[in-house]
Amino acid sequence: MLFQVEMTVKLPPDMAPERAAEIKAREKDYAQELQRSGKWRHLWRVAGSYSNVSVFDVADNAELQELVSNLPLFPYMEIRVKPLCRHPSSIRDDDS
Ligand SMILES: O=C(O)C[C@H]1C=CC(=O)O1
């Protein structure tokens, strides 16, 4: 199942820079691991913001919840999820 996931990061302004850097480094490792696994298919920065638009390819809602809630930045994110399905006019054969 495909899901569009929009994540907006809101770190507390008083978080120590070293702590923020450590969480972001763990986040990057985890995000890249999920991308290599094929579960995190797309990761795009929303220009001008500390947000991304992503596409996840997971078995079900429960797997999405597990993956997203394990993000190191999860406690500091606002997350919006939209389920996706194939568009009948799409010419791509790899977007189902
Ligand atoms: O930067 C972000 O959008 C938040 C998060 C998503 C992947 C990652 O490395 O950090």
Side-chain angles (χ1 to χ4, degrees):
M1 297 173 71
L2 296 175
F3 293 91
Q4 176 191 303
V5 180
E6 184 169 352
M7 307 175 197
T8 299
V9 181
K10 296 189 173 177
L11 291 174
D14 60 350
M15 180 181 277
E18 302 77 17
R19 171 83 177 129
E22 181 266 324
I23 298 171
K24 288 179 192 178
R26 286 194 289 117
E27 177 86 11
K28 183 173 184 175
D29 287 347
Y30 182 58
Q32 293 188 337
E33 178 190 322
L34 291 180
Q35 287 170 80
R36 281 190 285 271
S37 79
K39 292 186 182 295
W40 195 330
R41 269 215 216 166
H42 290 271
L43 172 56
W44 295 94
R45 176 63 75 219
V46 179
S49 69
Y50 194 2
S51 297
N52 72 73
V53 171
S54 294
V55 176
F56 281 77
D57 187 356
V58 292
D60 52 26
N61 295 16
E63 185 179 21
L64 181 68
Q65 174 64 18
E66 185 194 331
L67 297 184
V68 168
S69 62
N70 280 319
L71 291 166
L73 283 171
F74 180 76
Y76 311 105
M77 284 176 169
E78 288 177 7
I79 299 178
R80 289 189 197 162
V81 176
K82 294 178 185 169
L84 303 176
C85 59
R86 185 175 175 80
H87 194 289
S89 302
S90 175
I91 61 167
R92 298 186 188 281
D93 57 13
D94 66 345
D95 65 352
S96 56

